[in-house]
Amino acid sequence: MSEEPENRLPPGQYVPRGRPVIHYGRVPRFNPDTWIFQIFGATASGKEHRLSWPEFERLPKRTVFADFHCVTRFSIMGNEWCGVSPATLLELAPPAPGVRHVMVWGEYGYSANMRLSDFVADDTLFALELDENRITPERGFPLRLVVPRLYAWKSVKWVRALEYLTEDRRGFWEERGYHNLADPWREQRYSYQEEPGDGPL
Ligand SMILES: Nc1nc2c(c(=O)[nH]1)N[C@H]1C(S)=C(S)[C@@H](COP(=O)(O)O)O[C@H]1N2
Ligand SMILES: [Mo]
């Protein structure tokens, strides 16, 4: 990225010392024998798709270099993520024509919704590695979504499922007062800032 870090910082954000780890609840244990990735909801076939851990690991990978911005105002700059592009999963299990939103599910029922357009953005990734190492357990091992263009609560750690939605629905934090869209460049932090059309009622 050629831009200076100052220009990469959205309004109201700062770069802390170190790289904070933050999440709700405890770090889940990974069992490769029982782990499955589910694609469900409004699939084109009407069927649910399941990938085992070996199947998921074999999918083609790409690398994304990106910053991420927590709504609590810290930003973590310059992460090199490697993993599976959302486009690969959309090809594997295409959504029905009416799908405009997705819900991404983590362990313990954590979830985040986003527009399909943000989900398929070219910097969105299902990451397996951070800075050339396996993601650590507290950062989402074995699999984490990263959506650098939205506030980081949408970057679901310990991802287990992708749900196609024909109607938008709020995820975990979106139900608890956070903005449905969450664009850090527009400071879309809280749900009271939402305008008509930004989210479900
Ligand atoms: N499953 C899950 N994913 C999550 C969270 C969570 O509580 N559970 N917290 C989110 C929030 S609010 C932030 S800021 C980032 C933090 O990522 P980090 O711990 O790698 O810095 O993870 C996001 N992903
Ligand atoms: Mo956050």
Side-chain angles (χ1 to χ4, degrees):
M1 225 176 262
S2 59
E3 265 183 285
E4 294 302 311
E6 306 88 77
N7 306 330
R8 281 163 47 188
L9 209 54
Q13 296 295 117
Y14 72 98
V15 179
R17 227 177 256 272
R19 297 180 163 212
V21 167
I22 176 172
H23 53 260
Y24 182 87
R26 64 192 171 83
V27 174
R29 182 171 299 170
F30 170 55
N31 180 342
D33 300 326
T34 56
W35 189 96
I36 52 155
F37 186 89
Q38 255 179 295
I39 304 174
F40 71 105
T43 58
S45 67
K47 289 192 198 123
E48 177 185 314
H49 287 251
R50 289 168 159 237
L51 290 152
S52 67
W53 174 245
E55 286 167 339
F56 199 100
E57 251 200 322
R58 256 186 264 124
L59 296 173
K61 317 276 185 314
R62 59 184 296 248
T63 296
V64 164
F65 187 81
D67 309 326
F68 77 88
H69 313 291
C70 175
V71 71
T72 66
R73 299 185 184 272
F74 69 82
S75 289
I76 303 188
M77 312 300 280
N79 309 282
E80 190 187 314
W81 303 100
C82 177
V84 175
S85 164
T88 302
L89 298 178
L90 291 170
E91 242 170 70
L92 210 76
V99 171
R100 298 283 174 275
H101 301 268
V102 302
M103 187 77 79
V104 176
W105 292 92
E107 299 278 1
Y108 308 139
Y110 185 89
S111 62
N113 61 314
M114 66 203 71
R115 296 181 292 198
L116 188 62
S117 54
D118 288 320
F119 180 71
V120 302
D122 61 7
D123 54 353
T124 300
L125 195 70
F126 286 88
L128 298 154
E129 289 177 23
L130 170 58
D131 298 331
E132 301 189 325
N133 295 302
R134 276 268 181 229
I135 295 184
T136 55
E138 67 277 10
R139 287 205 192 271
F141 175 79
L143 183 67
R144 158 183 213 165
L145 183 70
V146 285
V147 194
R149 64 185 55 215
L150 302 178
Y151 280 122
W153 81 78
K154 305 266 193 190
S155 290
V156 179
K157 305 199 244 190
W158 314 297
V159 192
R160 291 295 296 272
L162 167 64
E163 180 184 2
Y164 296 142
L165 305 177
T166 49
E167 270 178 70
D168 195 11
R169 206 171 73 225
R170 292 178 191 275
F172 184 85
W173 286 119
E174 295 81 6
E175 271 188 334
R176 289 168 174 77
Y178 288 90
H179 199 289
N180 193 55
L181 299 179
D183 179 350
W185 298 96
R186 301 177 64 188
E187 282 208 81
Q188 294 175 329
R189 296 177 189 273
Y190 308 109
S191 53
Y192 67 75
Q193 300 171 293
E194 286 175 18
E195 292 178 19
D198 286 351
L201 298 174

